[in-house]
Amino acid sequence: MGRIITFAQQKGGAGKTTVLTQLAHHWLATGVTVALVDLDPQGSLSRWASMRGDMECTASSDWKAGSDIRAAARKADLVLVDCPGNADILLRATIRDSDLVVAPAQPSMMDLWALEPVVEMARKEKTPLRVLLNRVPPTGRAAQDARDVVTADLLDEQMGNRVVFQQAFAVGKAAAELQPRSKAASEVAAIAAALDAIE
Ligand SMILES: Nc1ncnc2c1ncn2[C@@H]1O[C@H](COP(=O)(O)OP(=O)(O)O)[C@@H](O)[C@H]1O
Ligand SMILES: [Mg+2]
């Protein structure tokens, strides 16, 4: 079975889909087979994947989700699952089936508070979880303030607030494809390495 990583956080706009797509490209480029499962009815991951055509993407929901995720994990080395903002029962079952949960959060109190349900679910299901600070502004204390609040399960690596992430998403690409030597590309590589190192 391939490794299943679920991207979840109740708050919309935290960056679940953006972070997932950047990492998907990174891992694919390292030679790993990557399958995507889109549980968000908004379907933005599916649209991104259809612009590329190099990763199978299954749009799924409700009772189908578990079997679709496991079917993907039988075929691919790595399965990345994108979640909608709210998905109580479905999210719990998905977290149970996952090897790792990545919870992106912007460094604001509202995003950090919104982490509580998913952190609690992962703890109950005994699935490892890492919080990833996303859209970190280039200056100011926001990231450090967030790190003072969230101490457990927080990745040292973080993603900056960068236009190239938005530009890349819009054309079905990753930042590393548009700007291979950018800070954005090296951030994504560092996050991937940190997630690879988690058992
Ligand atoms: N690191 C980032 N830098 C710049 N814009 C970002 C970044 N992460 C997310 N965004 C933007 O924020 C918005 C919400 O991101 P998205 O990935 O759709 O969040 P979610 O999937 O959690 O709802 C999108 O417009 C996206 O382009
Ligand atoms: Mg999304």
Side-chain angles (χ1 to χ4, degrees), residues 16-17 40 44 82-83:
K16 296 176 288 291
T17 310
D40 187 347
S44 44
D82 196 20
C83 292

Side-chain angles (χ1 to χ4, degrees), residues 11-19 82 106 134-135 159-163 165-166:
K11 195 146 180 304
K16 296 176 288 291
T17 310
T18 301
V19 172
D82 196 20
Q106 297 188 30
N134 181 35
R135 296 200 82 168
M159 241 162 103
N161 187 30
R162 299 181 193 285
V163 176
F165 289 130
Q166 301 182 5

Side-chain angles (χ1 to χ4, degrees), residues 73 104 115 138 143 191 199:
L115 285 168
I191 294 163
E199 282 306 310

Side-chain angles (χ1 to χ4, degrees), residues 3-7 19-20 22-24 26-27 78 80 99-104 128-132 153-157 159 187-199:
R3 186 182 198 212
I4 300 169
I5 306 181
T6 290
F7 293 73
V19 172
L20 187 159
Q22 295 297 323
L23 289 167
H26 175 89
W27 278 314
L78 190 58
L80 306 181
D99 299 295
L100 176 66
V101 176
V102 175
L129 174 143
R130 291 296 181 277
V131 174
L132 169 68
D153 305 328
L154 181 60
L155 280 183
D156 291 338
E157 294 72 13
M159 241 162 103
E187 278 176 350
V188 172
I191 294 163
L195 298 178
D196 281 336
I198 297 166
E199 282 306 310

